[in-house]
Amino acid sequence: MVVVLVMVVVVALLAGVHRYVWRRLVGDTTAKGSPARRAGTIAAFVLPLLSLGAMTSARAGFPFWLQQVLAWPGYLWLAVLLYLTMALLVGEAARPLLHRFLARRSAAGTEDATAGAEEATVGARPEAGAVASGAAATSGAGATGEAAASGEAEVTGTENGSDGGTRTRTDVAPPPESPAAPTVVDPSRRLFVARAVGGAAALAGLGTVGYGTYGVLRGPRVKRITVPLARLPRSAHGFRIAVVSDIHIGPILGRAHTRRIVEAINATRPDLVAVVGDLVDGSVKDLGSAAEPLAGLEARHGSYFVTGNHEYFSGAAEWVDHVRELGLHPLENARVEIAGFDLAGVNDVAGESEGQGPDFVRALGDRDRSRASVLLAHQPVVIDDAVKHGVDLQLSGHTHGGQLWPGNLLAGLANPTVAGLERYGDTQLYVSRGAGAWGPPVRVGAPSDITLVELASRQA
């Protein structure tokens, strides 16, 4: 029942957002019945359906080629929708300011035109002396008519002069003020503001998504950090681990994506490669060939792999066997001794649904605690277990650094560390932003990375 309610709320929210975006980008900027409005209305129905198809096609068992067809427009639209909505909301604040600016400029233009007309009228008046006699001759008959025509009221009375005589006095009252007309926004001005704000929002949203997509398709950049370990012997000083997580091979990011990552890792000449989960989004049948470039990883002490939550959506057992065939060493709640330290790996917590969750006792319980230890664990949330078992350094991924700003704020609510290196007691935790992307192939404010972690001995 709770799941159904959540789905209803999500669908209602998405419907409301699409309605808002349509109104601001289409309804306010196009004429009824115009080709532009028809096209915008069709897009408002088709794009969310593509997004729904992209998110459900794999679990619905659609052919992989159809998953690929749906994935690009469906997932990209979700990213565009996010940043379009944010830009339009910012535009709501700019909209009245723009209206006010245009109204003032229009009023200033009207005043200038009126002043110019008055100057022209004054310049065309005849000389006062030339018309004085005519004015005197017609003053008696014309005064009353002029007053009536102008709406002025004529009031006649008498007054005593200083010489004792009586004089007739005529006063003309000013015309009554007409009530102020209600302010009406010029329709052409309203259309201009709607198109200006909508166009700016579209430019900002599409530009943001375009740049974020370029960053993902270009491939991850290499970060380098040095991590001192108290128990690391001098002989292991300078040991380099290439950490890569969240590659997310899938309908969008395929073989070329994997090859770029392998080339970037090999260029760092690491001593060991750690693939820290979420390698794939799909089955071995569909994505096995896309993962094959991993066989080209080069490291003196080999390449190691632990599962992430997405492996358990994609057939974890099959993928563990496949990466083993590619030359990687899966660490399923297991540990190996490397020159100078212990390297351990635990299954992802998502494996608990299959009885294959993390087992820290099996991976770390009987080790020599005088040796330094490095733990591979996909999700940062297991840091408390790592501290409990005396781990010196935990290497994780999972968060993507938030991937799409302000997603980092949400990621921070669910993870102790969103990205980077932090200390928890005697244990250090490093979280990679990942080398790929899930859903939209877009990153904003969280660039993809491969991290070269250089271990440092305090005895060196």
Side-chain angles (χ1 to χ4, degrees):
M1 185 64 180
V2 175
V3 175
V4 174
L5 289 175
V6 171
M7 291 181 63
V8 169
V9 171
V10 170
V11 170
L13 179 62
L14 287 176
V17 170
H18 278 86
R19 169 65 182 171
Y20 168 71
V21 170
W22 176 89
R23 182 167 66 87
R24 283 308 193 198
L25 292 185
V26 181
D28 291 350
T29 62
T30 59
K32 291 182 179 180
S34 66
R37 175 165 292 196
R38 286 196 294 269
T41 302
I42 291 171
F45 283 96
V46 172
L47 289 171
L49 291 177
L50 289 173
S51 297
L52 180 63
M55 291 185 290
T56 60
S57 58
R59 296 194 179 190
F62 288 11
F64 187 65
W65 67 266
L66 183 55
Q67 296 179 38
Q68 291 177 301
V69 169
L70 293 171
W72 271 104
Y75 281 124
L76 277 177
W77 171 242
L78 290 177
V80 171
L81 179 65
L82 171 64
Y83 290 106
L84 268 180
T85 304
M86 293 173 63
L88 286 170
L89 290 174
V90 172
E92 297 298 340
R95 193 179 297 270
L97 299 178
L98 187 55
H99 271 296
R100 189 176 305 169
F101 169 77
L102 293 175
R104 288 180 177 177
R105 191 174 70 171
S106 177
T110 302
E111 291 176 359
D112 291 342
T114 302
E118 290 176 352
E119 291 176 0
T121 301
V122 171
R125 287 177 181 174
E127 292 295 330
V131 299
S133 59
T138 60
S139 60
T144 303
E146 290 175 1
S150 64
E152 296 174 345
E154 184 178 278
V155 180
T156 303
T158 60
E159 62 179 6
N160 294 323
S162 59
D163 56 356
T166 302
R167 298 177 182 175
T168 301
R169 176 176 57 83
T170 301
D171 294 333
V172 178
E177 294 184 0
S178 59
T183 302
V184 178
V185 179
D186 185 352
S188 62
R189 187 193 309 157
R190 182 188 298 111
L191 181 61
F192 174 79
V193 170
R195 288 179 173 175
V197 173
L203 184 63
L206 292 173
T208 300
V209 172
Y211 183 76
T213 303
Y214 166 74
V216 171
L217 298 183
R218 176 195 61 196
R221 292 293 185 254
V222 175
K223 292 176 58 178
R224 299 172 186 269
I225 65 169
T226 299
V227 181
L229 301 182
R231 289 176 286 190
L232 189 73
R234 182 180 300 177
S235 60
H237 179 75
F239 193 96
R240 296 181 300 175
I241 303 174
V243 181
V244 59
S245 73
D246 302 279
I247 296 175
H248 285 289
I249 303 170
I252 294 178
L253 302 176
R255 188 183 181 95
H257 173 64
T258 311
R259 185 171 58 250
R260 283 191 295 268
I261 290 171
V262 170
E263 291 173 353
I265 291 173
N266 289 344
T268 67
R269 303 180 66 83
D271 297 305
L272 184 146
V273 176
V275 182
V276 196
D278 277 9
L279 172 64
V280 292
D281 286 308
S283 66
V284 172
K285 175 185 174 182
D286 293 332
L287 299 174
S289 62
E292 286 177 357
L294 293 173
L297 287 170
E298 300 172 357
R300 186 159 55 100
H301 292 275
S303 301
Y304 293 84
F305 168 78
V306 293
T307 57
N309 54 309
H310 282 249
E311 272 71 61
Y312 294 96
F313 307 147
S314 308
E318 292 181 356
W319 275 110
V320 167
D321 291 339
H322 189 64
V323 298
R324 185 179 285 114
E325 293 171 0
L326 296 175
L328 281 73
H329 306 288
L331 291 175
E332 299 181 273
N333 298 321
R335 181 180 76 254
V336 294
E337 291 186 1
I338 306 294
F341 65 95
D342 293 336
L343 180 70
V346 292
N347 295 342
D348 186 70
V349 294
E352 292 175 349
S353 61
E354 302 179 10
Q356 298 293 326
D359 188 337
F360 288 87
V361 174
R362 179 180 167 189
L364 297 162
D366 59 348
R367 74 178 191 87
D368 180 1
R369 291 207 175 196
S370 66
R371 289 171 55 86
S373 60
V374 176
L375 173 68
L376 309 184
H378 177 64
Q379 297 197 39
V381 293
V382 300
I383 183 63
D384 291 336
D385 292 288
V387 173
K388 179 180 177 182
H389 288 84
V391 170
D392 293 282
L393 173 63
Q394 176 180 320
L395 301 174
S396 297
H398 183 64
T399 68
H400 295 210
Q403 185 168 327
L404 297 171
W405 183 90
N408 57 309
L409 303 178
L410 297 177
L413 298 176
N415 296 276
T417 297
V418 174
L421 183 68
E422 293 186 352
R423 177 177 289 276
Y424 295 84
D426 293 330
T427 302
Q428 297 179 81
L429 169 64
Y430 180 76
V431 180
S432 168
R433 291 190 178 96
W438 180 78
V442 183
R443 282 178 172 266
V444 177
S448 56
D449 67 58
I450 294 166
T451 306
L452 189 66
V453 178
E454 183 172 326
L455 304 181
S457 171
R458 293 180 176 174
Q459 303 172 23

